[in-house]
Amino acid sequence: MSKNINVALIGNPNTGKTSVFNQLTGLKQKVGNYPGITVEKKEGICKLPRGVKAHILDLPGTYSLNTTSLDESVVVELLLNKNDKDYPDVAVVVSDVENLKRNLLLFTQIKDLKIPAILVINMADRMSRKGISLDIELMEEKLNTKIALVSTRKNIGIERIKELIADYKNLSREPNVNASLIAPDYFERLKKTFPNEDLYKLWLVITQDVNFMPIQKKRFKEETSFDIKSKSELKRLQQKETILRYQFINGILKETYKVDLQAAKGFRATLDKILTHKVFGYVIFFMILLLIFQAIYDWSSYPMDFIDEQFAAASEWVKDTLPPGVFTNLIAEGILAGIGGIVIFIPQIAFLFLFIALLEESGYMSRVVFLMDRVMRPFGLSGKSVVPLISGTACAIPAVMATRNIENWKERLITILVTPFTTCSARLPVYLIIIALVIPEGRLFGLGYQALALMSLYLIGFAAAILSAMILNKVLNIRSRSFFVVEMPNYKIPLFKNVFYTVVEKTKSFVYGAGKIILAISIVLWFLGSNGYSDDFQNAESIVTERIAEKGLSDPSEAYIDEKLESYSRQLRDSLPAANRMVIDLAVEEKRDDLQERVIGQEIASYKLEHSYIGYLGKAIQPIVKPLGYDWKIGIAVLTSFAAREVFVGTLATIYSVGSDEEETIKNRMAAERWPDTGKPLFNLASGISLLLFYAFAMQCMSTLAIVKRETNSWKWPMYQLVFMSLFAYIVALIAYQILK
Amino acid sequence: MEITVADLKRGERGIIKDFAMDILPIKLLELGCLPGNEVELVQQAPFRDPLYINVNGSHIAIRRSVARHIALDLLEDFSAR
């Protein structure tokens, strides 16, 4: 057989479905999105015995086929649409041996759709500890299926799944439960109206809350003789169906599933007592948060420095090796600088995703949701908002996506709207460089002023999120009933493979997503900065050379040379103590010529910049940013960072005509910048604080806006975010500057 | 006054008697919150909300407002704790 088998992996959340997927496909997997929506679509290929290949689709976790969320509707949509290219030849239903009863509910529904279904009973390694015994043969007979007893942790039973998939043609298609028993008359009428349709499929189409199959639904409406029952009637019937299915399942489990209750409790109960304790629970949660932040800053600084150096070196290498010209400049100054600006965040983001994956995998995250729900509610948020708010410290994009499991629309919307206030990693480079410039290095009670400033910025971010949530809660007039139901899964030691895949996947999608934008912007910026239409721009070289010949170098440039020379000669004297003074002086003089040449080059470059397209643009916006204490160069950097905050440093680097992104040099340049009219330093406490506050509040991230648009399905909310956050940021920065000035 | 899940103390158990079908989400039913099933209050957060319960082997957390709609017959069980 040459045809690939289409396999759909289906199961309740927390059954280890993803582990089964990882075991079956290994690294041969692909993560994308379902068209038009942001539900994650995971696919992979699995080699089966006898040379057959299976195309495996990992569907979102769901408790039943009665959809209540977007994720769940994806499952139902696929199972109802025979024409979908992913329509499964066979469904693999993953269940957890400890929650078999609940898991079987979904299984019976899939059986009733007459899709060949294999039952995977996962976590078999826990059976003896929990005192569970199963009669697999009898269960197979009663459920009319084949069962694979699996432990993904111990790598047992995976071969059996593969064999069963390869042999799917021999699986029974007999349904388990006759759903029409819940309303015989109604189903009879359905059958008469649509004689060619499968009854249970019809029933599912009718009862879906989300109207995802417009064609079939429309056909119902055209049939005037057929009355659609009211929503509450349908709901009651759905409940009857659930009860009917549980009766069927209970009957089977009574004969096939034995559990020794004495063995069952213990570990879980003890851990729960500590982790959800009224006092210790919160203390432990807080400690874990501290650990995470500590790890992100301390551990990731090493790989970050390394990446920084590599990119600076690569940029130098390109300039040295490729023939000089426009193209080389584009690569070295535009593209490499741009990519370097994003790659540098990989360590921090990977660490954050690592911790979040660990917390989720271990089952701890549900306990946090439980602990925090009551605390968050006065602010119009839910316990489930905690996860997005924490993830938001890495990046608002995955954080906004993580709001999807908040069932209450109002709580979800508020969470989405306030999440961008949390201090994401893209703000960090801006914060770090400005804090280093304007906050003195002293200490207060053993804590550095600079560290305190950074911490205050984080707190300000959280405070802004919480306070705006409170306001939104009052202002937004949305009535939606709260369906807060959280499963508290068993504690598990996270599987390395699962965590590893999650971190790789999430990091990859962040880098590609944000990378595209930054790349585009840096190319545009580079173009605007290195081209101009005026005569001043075209003749920059001769104008600057003449000016220098007349008046000498500018003050900051002189200061820069002096400083460099001093450290150079000190270095020479230290390393060559025996050398003749004359020799050292000669070397220093040579260095001076070198530096002068470089400085002249830089002055030409910045003169060019001032008269380039971007220079004129900057001059045009100067009146708007001047009240905040910024000159046109900072104004340009602020403007470009509306695409993504991390662009700020890169833009300043380009504008201050420093070739590489190396922090020290940009910082020195920034420190040397002065207002041309007054001669006062541009970056002082007032303008620095004003910039910090502006970046704390402004909505400067196109990707987040795009994600919010997709998740809320309208441009209204992202536009509100953009306007309100930016306006707020402007006002706060204005007040701060005017007071501190 | 009827006893509901919201009235349970930690460690107490009861049998679900009545379930306000129109108000409560179907998800609860699917998770095992059915008449006749046993409920145990495992833990409660400060302000006694939300409640962490064990229904028929399913461990779930629900808000008080929901718990108030699940009526119970209290189980007198002296062997527990």
Side-chain angles (χ1 to χ4, degrees), chain A residues 227-257:
Chain A
D227 63 310
I228 299 177
K229 296 210 168 200
S230 76
K231 258 208 148 127
S232 68
E233 267 177 295
L234 286 177
K235 196 175 166 193
R236 198 156 304 195
L237 285 180
Q238 269 187 327
Q239 286 162 342
K240 265 179 112 173
E241 183 198 333
T242 309
I243 293 171
L244 183 74
R245 288 186 189 281
Y246 267 122
Q247 280 167 353
F248 170 78
I249 294 163
N250 282 336
I252 292 176
L253 290 185
K254 207 171 255 173
E255 292 176 65
T256 58
Y257 185 94

PDB file of all heavy atoms in Angstrom, chain A residues 227-257:
ATOM      1  N   ASP A 227     -38.440  21.736  12.846  1.00  0.00           N
ATOM      2  CA  ASP A 227     -38.199  22.784  13.842  1.00  0.00           C
ATOM      3  C   ASP A 227     -36.910  22.499  14.616  1.00  0.00           C
ATOM      4  O   ASP A 227     -36.669  21.383  15.057  1.00  0.00           O
ATOM      5  CB  ASP A 227     -39.385  22.889  14.800  1.00  0.00           C
ATOM      6  CG  ASP A 227     -39.581  21.634  15.600  1.00  0.00           C
ATOM      7  OD1 ASP A 227     -39.616  20.530  14.990  1.00  0.00           O
ATOM      8  OD2 ASP A 227     -39.671  21.713  16.825  1.00  0.00           O
ATOM      9  N   ILE A 228     -36.105  23.531  14.745  1.00  0.00           N
ATOM     10  CA  ILE A 228     -34.907  23.401  15.568  1.00  0.00           C
ATOM     11  C   ILE A 228     -35.302  23.701  17.005  1.00  0.00           C
ATOM     12  O   ILE A 228     -36.006  24.665  17.286  1.00  0.00           O
ATOM     13  CB  ILE A 228     -33.828  24.380  15.092  1.00  0.00           C
ATOM     14  CG1 ILE A 228     -33.445  24.059  13.655  1.00  0.00           C
ATOM     15  CG2 ILE A 228     -32.606  24.307  15.991  1.00  0.00           C
ATOM     16  CD1 ILE A 228     -32.451  25.008  13.056  1.00  0.00           C
ATOM     17  N   LYS A 229     -34.862  22.858  17.875  1.00  0.00           N
ATOM     18  CA  LYS A 229     -35.235  23.053  19.279  1.00  0.00           C
ATOM     19  C   LYS A 229     -34.519  24.267  19.867  1.00  0.00           C
ATOM     20  O   LYS A 229     -33.489  24.700  19.366  1.00  0.00           O
ATOM     21  CB  LYS A 229     -34.845  21.800  20.065  1.00  0.00           C
ATOM     22  CG  LYS A 229     -35.605  20.574  19.631  1.00  0.00           C
ATOM     23  CD  LYS A 229     -35.757  19.632  20.794  1.00  0.00           C
ATOM     24  CE  LYS A 229     -36.775  18.548  20.440  1.00  0.00           C
ATOM     25  NZ  LYS A 229     -37.316  17.904  21.617  1.00  0.00           N
ATOM     26  N   SER A 230     -35.066  24.790  20.916  1.00  0.00           N
ATOM     27  CA  SER A 230     -34.454  25.962  21.538  1.00  0.00           C
ATOM     28  C   SER A 230     -33.136  25.563  22.198  1.00  0.00           C
ATOM     29  O   SER A 230     -32.879  24.393  22.453  1.00  0.00           O
ATOM     30  CB  SER A 230     -35.389  26.537  22.595  1.00  0.00           C
ATOM     31  OG  SER A 230     -35.334  25.703  23.731  1.00  0.00           O
ATOM     32  N   LYS A 231     -32.315  26.576  22.482  1.00  0.00           N
ATOM     33  CA  LYS A 231     -30.979  26.304  23.033  1.00  0.00           C
ATOM     34  C   LYS A 231     -31.034  25.534  24.339  1.00  0.00           C
ATOM     35  O   LYS A 231     -30.278  24.607  24.553  1.00  0.00           O
ATOM     36  CB  LYS A 231     -30.234  27.633  23.239  1.00  0.00           C
ATOM     37  CG  LYS A 231     -29.225  27.871  22.142  1.00  0.00           C
ATOM     38  CD  LYS A 231     -28.079  28.712  22.655  1.00  0.00           C
ATOM     39  CE  LYS A 231     -26.812  28.311  21.927  1.00  0.00           C
ATOM     40  NZ  LYS A 231     -26.067  29.326  21.304  1.00  0.00           N
ATOM     41  N   SER A 232     -31.960  25.920  25.215  1.00  0.00           N
ATOM     42  CA  SER A 232     -31.985  25.252  26.517  1.00  0.00           C
ATOM     43  C   SER A 232     -32.485  23.825  26.372  1.00  0.00           C
ATOM     44  O   SER A 232     -32.055  22.928  27.094  1.00  0.00           O
ATOM     45  CB  SER A 232     -32.836  26.042  27.506  1.00  0.00           C
ATOM     46  OG  SER A 232     -34.183  25.993  27.129  1.00  0.00           O
ATOM     47  N   GLU A 233     -33.386  23.608  25.423  1.00  0.00           N
ATOM     48  CA  GLU A 233     -33.841  22.234  25.199  1.00  0.00           C
ATOM     49  C   GLU A 233     -32.689  21.362  24.715  1.00  0.00           C
ATOM     50  O   GLU A 233     -32.498  20.234  25.158  1.00  0.00           O
ATOM     51  CB  GLU A 233     -34.955  22.226  24.137  1.00  0.00           C
ATOM     52  CG  GLU A 233     -36.352  22.309  24.711  1.00  0.00           C
ATOM     53  CD  GLU A 233     -37.363  22.360  23.577  1.00  0.00           C
ATOM     54  OE1 GLU A 233     -37.360  23.351  22.823  1.00  0.00           O
ATOM     55  OE2 GLU A 233     -38.138  21.396  23.442  1.00  0.00           O
ATOM     56  N   LEU A 234     -31.912  21.946  23.777  1.00  0.00           N
ATOM     57  CA  LEU A 234     -30.766  21.211  23.247  1.00  0.00           C
ATOM     58  C   LEU A 234     -29.770  20.896  24.354  1.00  0.00           C
ATOM     59  O   LEU A 234     -29.216  19.816  24.423  1.00  0.00           O
ATOM     60  CB  LEU A 234     -30.084  22.024  22.145  1.00  0.00           C
ATOM     61  CG  LEU A 234     -30.813  22.079  20.810  1.00  0.00           C
ATOM     62  CD1 LEU A 234     -30.076  22.978  19.837  1.00  0.00           C
ATOM     63  CD2 LEU A 234     -30.944  20.676  20.223  1.00  0.00           C
ATOM     64  N   LYS A 235     -29.585  21.890  25.230  1.00  0.00           N
ATOM     65  CA  LYS A 235     -28.626  21.698  26.309  1.00  0.00           C
ATOM     66  C   LYS A 235     -29.078  20.548  27.210  1.00  0.00           C
ATOM     67  O   LYS A 235     -28.284  19.705  27.607  1.00  0.00           O
ATOM     68  CB  LYS A 235     -28.517  22.998  27.106  1.00  0.00           C
ATOM     69  CG  LYS A 235     -27.288  23.042  27.986  1.00  0.00           C
ATOM     70  CD  LYS A 235     -27.115  24.375  28.669  1.00  0.00           C
ATOM     71  CE  LYS A 235     -26.099  24.249  29.780  1.00  0.00           C
ATOM     72  NZ  LYS A 235     -26.106  25.416  30.655  1.00  0.00           N
ATOM     73  N   ARG A 236     -30.363  20.523  27.463  1.00  0.00           N
ATOM     74  CA  ARG A 236     -30.876  19.456  28.318  1.00  0.00           C
ATOM     75  C   ARG A 236     -30.646  18.085  27.671  1.00  0.00           C
ATOM     76  O   ARG A 236     -30.284  17.123  28.324  1.00  0.00           O
ATOM     77  CB  ARG A 236     -32.370  19.682  28.561  1.00  0.00           C
ATOM     78  CG  ARG A 236     -32.875  18.914  29.754  1.00  0.00           C
ATOM     79  CD  ARG A 236     -34.091  19.553  30.311  1.00  0.00           C
ATOM     80  NE  ARG A 236     -33.828  20.959  30.661  1.00  0.00           N
ATOM     81  CZ  ARG A 236     -34.631  21.675  31.422  1.00  0.00           C
ATOM     82  NH1 ARG A 236     -35.728  21.151  31.897  1.00  0.00           N
ATOM     83  NH2 ARG A 236     -34.343  22.916  31.708  1.00  0.00           N
ATOM     84  N   LEU A 237     -30.859  18.055  26.360  1.00  0.00           N
ATOM     85  CA  LEU A 237     -30.638  16.789  25.662  1.00  0.00           C
ATOM     86  C   LEU A 237     -29.164  16.388  25.692  1.00  0.00           C
ATOM     87  O   LEU A 237     -28.839  15.209  25.843  1.00  0.00           O
ATOM     88  CB  LEU A 237     -31.119  16.901  24.208  1.00  0.00           C
ATOM     89  CG  LEU A 237     -32.635  16.863  24.020  1.00  0.00           C
ATOM     90  CD1 LEU A 237     -32.994  16.983  22.563  1.00  0.00           C
ATOM     91  CD2 LEU A 237     -33.215  15.574  24.603  1.00  0.00           C
ATOM     92  N   GLN A 238     -28.294  17.381  25.562  1.00  0.00           N
ATOM     93  CA  GLN A 238     -26.856  17.089  25.650  1.00  0.00           C
ATOM     94  C   GLN A 238     -26.529  16.478  27.007  1.00  0.00           C
ATOM     95  O   GLN A 238     -25.734  15.553  27.116  1.00  0.00           O
ATOM     96  CB  GLN A 238     -26.042  18.383  25.491  1.00  0.00           C
ATOM     97  CG  GLN A 238     -25.656  18.680  24.073  1.00  0.00           C
ATOM     98  CD  GLN A 238     -24.718  19.880  24.003  1.00  0.00           C
ATOM     99  OE1 GLN A 238     -24.818  20.799  24.798  1.00  0.00           O
ATOM    100  NE2 GLN A 238     -23.821  19.860  23.048  1.00  0.00           N
ATOM    101  N   GLN A 239     -27.163  17.025  28.036  1.00  0.00           N
ATOM    102  CA  GLN A 239     -26.917  16.503  29.372  1.00  0.00           C
ATOM    103  C   GLN A 239     -27.434  15.073  29.496  1.00  0.00           C
ATOM    104  O   GLN A 239     -26.795  14.216  30.101  1.00  0.00           O
ATOM    105  CB  GLN A 239     -27.556  17.423  30.414  1.00  0.00           C
ATOM    106  CG  GLN A 239     -26.766  18.700  30.563  1.00  0.00           C
ATOM    107  CD  GLN A 239     -27.556  19.811  31.221  1.00  0.00           C
ATOM    108  OE1 GLN A 239     -28.784  19.772  31.274  1.00  0.00           O
ATOM    109  NE2 GLN A 239     -26.855  20.825  31.696  1.00  0.00           N
ATOM    110  N   LYS A 240     -28.590  14.840  28.889  1.00  0.00           N
ATOM    111  CA  LYS A 240     -29.137  13.484  28.914  1.00  0.00           C
ATOM    112  C   LYS A 240     -28.192  12.519  28.216  1.00  0.00           C
ATOM    113  O   LYS A 240     -27.985  11.396  28.664  1.00  0.00           O
ATOM    114  CB  LYS A 240     -30.499  13.458  28.202  1.00  0.00           C
ATOM    115  CG  LYS A 240     -31.680  13.602  29.140  1.00  0.00           C
ATOM    116  CD  LYS A 240     -32.970  13.585  28.370  1.00  0.00           C
ATOM    117  CE  LYS A 240     -33.789  12.340  28.656  1.00  0.00           C
ATOM    118  NZ  LYS A 240     -35.136  12.416  28.025  1.00  0.00           N
ATOM    119  N   GLU A 241     -27.612  13.019  27.108  1.00  0.00           N
ATOM    120  CA  GLU A 241     -26.680  12.177  26.357  1.00  0.00           C
ATOM    121  C   GLU A 241     -25.479  11.828  27.231  1.00  0.00           C
ATOM    122  O   GLU A 241     -25.043  10.682  27.280  1.00  0.00           O
ATOM    123  CB  GLU A 241     -26.226  12.922  25.095  1.00  0.00           C
ATOM    124  CG  GLU A 241     -25.303  12.098  24.212  1.00  0.00           C
ATOM    125  CD  GLU A 241     -24.527  12.948  23.218  1.00  0.00           C
ATOM    126  OE1 GLU A 241     -25.010  14.028  22.842  1.00  0.00           O
ATOM    127  OE2 GLU A 241     -23.426  12.509  22.829  1.00  0.00           O
ATOM    128  N   THR A 242     -24.972  12.839  27.948  1.00  0.00           N
ATOM    129  CA  THR A 242     -23.810  12.599  28.800  1.00  0.00           C
ATOM    130  C   THR A 242     -24.122  11.555  29.863  1.00  0.00           C
ATOM    131  O   THR A 242     -23.329  10.647  30.125  1.00  0.00           O
ATOM    132  CB  THR A 242     -23.379  13.920  29.469  1.00  0.00           C
ATOM    133  OG1 THR A 242     -23.244  14.900  28.457  1.00  0.00           O
ATOM    134  CG2 THR A 242     -22.076  13.759  30.200  1.00  0.00           C
ATOM    135  N   ILE A 243     -25.298  11.674  30.449  1.00  0.00           N
ATOM    136  CA  ILE A 243     -25.675  10.727  31.498  1.00  0.00           C
ATOM    137  C   ILE A 243     -25.803   9.324  30.917  1.00  0.00           C
ATOM    138  O   ILE A 243     -25.328   8.337  31.487  1.00  0.00           O
ATOM    139  CB  ILE A 243     -26.983  11.173  32.193  1.00  0.00           C
ATOM    140  CG1 ILE A 243     -26.716  12.475  32.961  1.00  0.00           C
ATOM    141  CG2 ILE A 243     -27.517  10.096  33.114  1.00  0.00           C
ATOM    142  CD1 ILE A 243     -27.951  13.136  33.517  1.00  0.00           C
ATOM    143  N   LEU A 244     -26.388   9.244  29.739  1.00  0.00           N
ATOM    144  CA  LEU A 244     -26.552   7.951  29.070  1.00  0.00           C
ATOM    145  C   LEU A 244     -25.180   7.302  28.827  1.00  0.00           C
ATOM    146  O   LEU A 244     -24.979   6.114  29.074  1.00  0.00           O
ATOM    147  CB  LEU A 244     -27.267   8.171  27.727  1.00  0.00           C
ATOM    148  CG  LEU A 244     -27.593   6.922  26.928  1.00  0.00           C
ATOM    149  CD1 LEU A 244     -28.763   6.187  27.567  1.00  0.00           C
ATOM    150  CD2 LEU A 244     -27.933   7.265  25.488  1.00  0.00           C
ATOM    151  N   ARG A 245     -24.242   8.133  28.356  1.00  0.00           N
ATOM    152  CA  ARG A 245     -22.899   7.601  28.076  1.00  0.00           C
ATOM    153  C   ARG A 245     -22.223   7.124  29.355  1.00  0.00           C
ATOM    154  O   ARG A 245     -21.576   6.085  29.365  1.00  0.00           O
ATOM    155  CB  ARG A 245     -22.032   8.669  27.412  1.00  0.00           C
ATOM    156  CG  ARG A 245     -22.447   8.935  26.000  1.00  0.00           C
ATOM    157  CD  ARG A 245     -21.544   9.881  25.261  1.00  0.00           C
ATOM    158  NE  ARG A 245     -22.176  10.210  23.991  1.00  0.00           N
ATOM    159  CZ  ARG A 245     -22.163   9.413  22.952  1.00  0.00           C
ATOM    160  NH1 ARG A 245     -21.512   8.258  23.009  1.00  0.00           N
ATOM    161  NH2 ARG A 245     -22.793   9.740  21.842  1.00  0.00           N
ATOM    162  N   TYR A 246     -22.407   7.883  30.438  1.00  0.00           N
ATOM    163  CA  TYR A 246     -21.784   7.466  31.697  1.00  0.00           C
ATOM    164  C   TYR A 246     -22.391   6.156  32.204  1.00  0.00           C
ATOM    165  O   TYR A 246     -21.689   5.331  32.795  1.00  0.00           O
ATOM    166  CB  TYR A 246     -21.896   8.568  32.755  1.00  0.00           C
ATOM    167  CG  TYR A 246     -20.678   9.465  32.775  1.00  0.00           C
ATOM    168  CD1 TYR A 246     -20.775  10.835  32.577  1.00  0.00           C
ATOM    169  CD2 TYR A 246     -19.411   8.926  32.976  1.00  0.00           C
ATOM    170  CE1 TYR A 246     -19.656  11.648  32.571  1.00  0.00           C
ATOM    171  CE2 TYR A 246     -18.288   9.725  32.979  1.00  0.00           C
ATOM    172  CZ  TYR A 246     -18.409  11.082  32.774  1.00  0.00           C
ATOM    173  OH  TYR A 246     -17.289  11.868  32.774  1.00  0.00           O
ATOM    174  N   GLN A 247     -23.691   5.952  31.952  1.00  0.00           N
ATOM    175  CA  GLN A 247     -24.301   4.688  32.360  1.00  0.00           C
ATOM    176  C   GLN A 247     -23.637   3.531  31.632  1.00  0.00           C
ATOM    177  O   GLN A 247     -23.269   2.523  32.224  1.00  0.00           O
ATOM    178  CB  GLN A 247     -25.802   4.712  32.060  1.00  0.00           C
ATOM    179  CG  GLN A 247     -26.587   5.463  33.120  1.00  0.00           C
ATOM    180  CD  GLN A 247     -28.015   5.751  32.672  1.00  0.00           C
ATOM    181  OE1 GLN A 247     -28.385   5.502  31.524  1.00  0.00           O
ATOM    182  NE2 GLN A 247     -28.802   6.297  33.573  1.00  0.00           N
ATOM    183  N   PHE A 248     -23.453   3.738  30.312  1.00  0.00           N
ATOM    184  CA  PHE A 248     -22.812   2.712  29.493  1.00  0.00           C
ATOM    185  C   PHE A 248     -21.391   2.421  30.015  1.00  0.00           C
ATOM    186  O   PHE A 248     -20.998   1.274  30.210  1.00  0.00           O
ATOM    187  CB  PHE A 248     -22.780   3.203  28.045  1.00  0.00           C
ATOM    188  CG  PHE A 248     -21.943   2.370  27.114  1.00  0.00           C
ATOM    189  CD1 PHE A 248     -22.425   1.169  26.609  1.00  0.00           C
ATOM    190  CD2 PHE A 248     -20.681   2.793  26.727  1.00  0.00           C
ATOM    191  CE1 PHE A 248     -21.661   0.401  25.748  1.00  0.00           C
ATOM    192  CE2 PHE A 248     -19.908   2.029  25.872  1.00  0.00           C
ATOM    193  CZ  PHE A 248     -20.392   0.829  25.380  1.00  0.00           C
ATOM    194  N   ILE A 249     -20.643   3.504  30.268  1.00  0.00           N
ATOM    195  CA  ILE A 249     -19.246   3.362  30.696  1.00  0.00           C
ATOM    196  C   ILE A 249     -19.163   2.697  32.064  1.00  0.00           C
ATOM    197  O   ILE A 249     -18.360   1.785  32.289  1.00  0.00           O
ATOM    198  CB  ILE A 249     -18.555   4.734  30.719  1.00  0.00           C
ATOM    199  CG1 ILE A 249     -18.454   5.273  29.298  1.00  0.00           C
ATOM    200  CG2 ILE A 249     -17.179   4.648  31.353  1.00  0.00           C
ATOM    201  CD1 ILE A 249     -18.181   6.757  29.221  1.00  0.00           C
ATOM    202  N   ASN A 250     -20.031   3.135  32.983  1.00  0.00           N
ATOM    203  CA  ASN A 250     -20.019   2.545  34.320  1.00  0.00           C
ATOM    204  C   ASN A 250     -20.263   1.048  34.260  1.00  0.00           C
ATOM    205  O   ASN A 250     -19.636   0.276  34.980  1.00  0.00           O
ATOM    206  CB  ASN A 250     -21.082   3.206  35.209  1.00  0.00           C
ATOM    207  CG  ASN A 250     -20.613   4.555  35.720  1.00  0.00           C
ATOM    208  OD1 ASN A 250     -19.400   4.795  35.803  1.00  0.00           O
ATOM    209  ND2 ASN A 250     -21.542   5.425  36.048  1.00  0.00           N
ATOM    210  N   GLY A 251     -21.195   0.648  33.370  1.00  0.00           N
ATOM    211  CA  GLY A 251     -21.493  -0.772  33.209  1.00  0.00           C
ATOM    212  C   GLY A 251     -20.251  -1.553  32.820  1.00  0.00           C
ATOM    213  O   GLY A 251     -19.978  -2.639  33.357  1.00  0.00           O
ATOM    214  N   ILE A 252     -19.493  -0.988  31.891  1.00  0.00           N
ATOM    215  CA  ILE A 252     -18.295  -1.701  31.417  1.00  0.00           C
ATOM    216  C   ILE A 252     -17.209  -1.721  32.483  1.00  0.00           C
ATOM    217  O   ILE A 252     -16.599  -2.747  32.763  1.00  0.00           O
ATOM    218  CB  ILE A 252     -17.755  -1.028  30.133  1.00  0.00           C
ATOM    219  CG1 ILE A 252     -18.743  -1.258  29.001  1.00  0.00           C
ATOM    220  CG2 ILE A 252     -16.390  -1.578  29.772  1.00  0.00           C
ATOM    221  CD1 ILE A 252     -18.361  -0.553  27.734  1.00  0.00           C
ATOM    222  N   LEU A 253     -16.986  -0.567  33.090  1.00  0.00           N
ATOM    223  CA  LEU A 253     -15.869  -0.481  34.046  1.00  0.00           C
ATOM    224  C   LEU A 253     -16.105  -1.347  35.277  1.00  0.00           C
ATOM    225  O   LEU A 253     -15.173  -1.843  35.889  1.00  0.00           O
ATOM    226  CB  LEU A 253     -15.624   0.972  34.446  1.00  0.00           C
ATOM    227  CG  LEU A 253     -15.033   1.845  33.350  1.00  0.00           C
ATOM    228  CD1 LEU A 253     -14.714   3.234  33.871  1.00  0.00           C
ATOM    229  CD2 LEU A 253     -13.769   1.223  32.760  1.00  0.00           C
ATOM    230  N   LYS A 254     -17.378  -1.539  35.628  1.00  0.00           N
ATOM    231  CA  LYS A 254     -17.691  -2.372  36.786  1.00  0.00           C
ATOM    232  C   LYS A 254     -17.089  -3.763  36.617  1.00  0.00           C
ATOM    233  O   LYS A 254     -16.626  -4.382  37.561  1.00  0.00           O
ATOM    234  CB  LYS A 254     -19.217  -2.466  36.937  1.00  0.00           C
ATOM    235  CG  LYS A 254     -19.664  -2.717  38.369  1.00  0.00           C
ATOM    236  CD  LYS A 254     -21.167  -2.593  38.498  1.00  0.00           C
ATOM    237  CE  LYS A 254     -21.573  -1.300  39.170  1.00  0.00           C
ATOM    238  NZ  LYS A 254     -23.029  -1.098  39.157  1.00  0.00           N
ATOM    239  N   GLU A 255     -17.087  -4.240  35.364  1.00  0.00           N
ATOM    240  CA  GLU A 255     -16.597  -5.596  35.116  1.00  0.00           C
ATOM    241  C   GLU A 255     -15.104  -5.645  34.817  1.00  0.00           C
ATOM    242  O   GLU A 255     -14.487  -6.693  34.939  1.00  0.00           O
ATOM    243  CB  GLU A 255     -17.343  -6.197  33.917  1.00  0.00           C
ATOM    244  CG  GLU A 255     -18.804  -6.468  34.203  1.00  0.00           C
ATOM    245  CD  GLU A 255     -19.508  -6.959  32.944  1.00  0.00           C
ATOM    246  OE1 GLU A 255     -19.168  -8.059  32.467  1.00  0.00           O
ATOM    247  OE2 GLU A 255     -20.353  -6.235  32.417  1.00  0.00           O
ATOM    248  N   THR A 256     -14.530  -4.533  34.353  1.00  0.00           N
ATOM    249  CA  THR A 256     -13.170  -4.625  33.814  1.00  0.00           C
ATOM    250  C   THR A 256     -12.131  -3.816  34.592  1.00  0.00           C
ATOM    251  O   THR A 256     -10.943  -3.952  34.356  1.00  0.00           O
ATOM    252  CB  THR A 256     -13.148  -4.108  32.360  1.00  0.00           C
ATOM    253  OG1 THR A 256     -13.626  -2.762  32.358  1.00  0.00           O
ATOM    254  CG2 THR A 256     -14.006  -4.955  31.467  1.00  0.00           C
ATOM    255  N   TYR A 257     -12.578  -2.944  35.501  1.00  0.00           N
ATOM    256  CA  TYR A 257     -11.654  -2.000  36.129  1.00  0.00           C
ATOM    257  C   TYR A 257     -11.765  -2.149  37.631  1.00  0.00           C
ATOM    258  O   TYR A 257     -12.843  -1.938  38.190  1.00  0.00           O
ATOM    259  CB  TYR A 257     -12.062  -0.593  35.689  1.00  0.00           C
ATOM    260  CG  TYR A 257     -11.170   0.549  36.131  1.00  0.00           C
ATOM    261  CD1 TYR A 257     -10.159   1.008  35.284  1.00  0.00           C
ATOM    262  CD2 TYR A 257     -11.369   1.208  37.338  1.00  0.00           C
ATOM    263  CE1 TYR A 257      -9.364   2.084  35.644  1.00  0.00           C
ATOM    264  CE2 TYR A 257     -10.577   2.278  37.709  1.00  0.00           C
ATOM    265  CZ  TYR A 257      -9.574   2.723  36.863  1.00  0.00           C
ATOM    266  OH  TYR A 257      -8.795   3.793  37.209  1.00  0.00           O
TER     267      TYR A 257
END
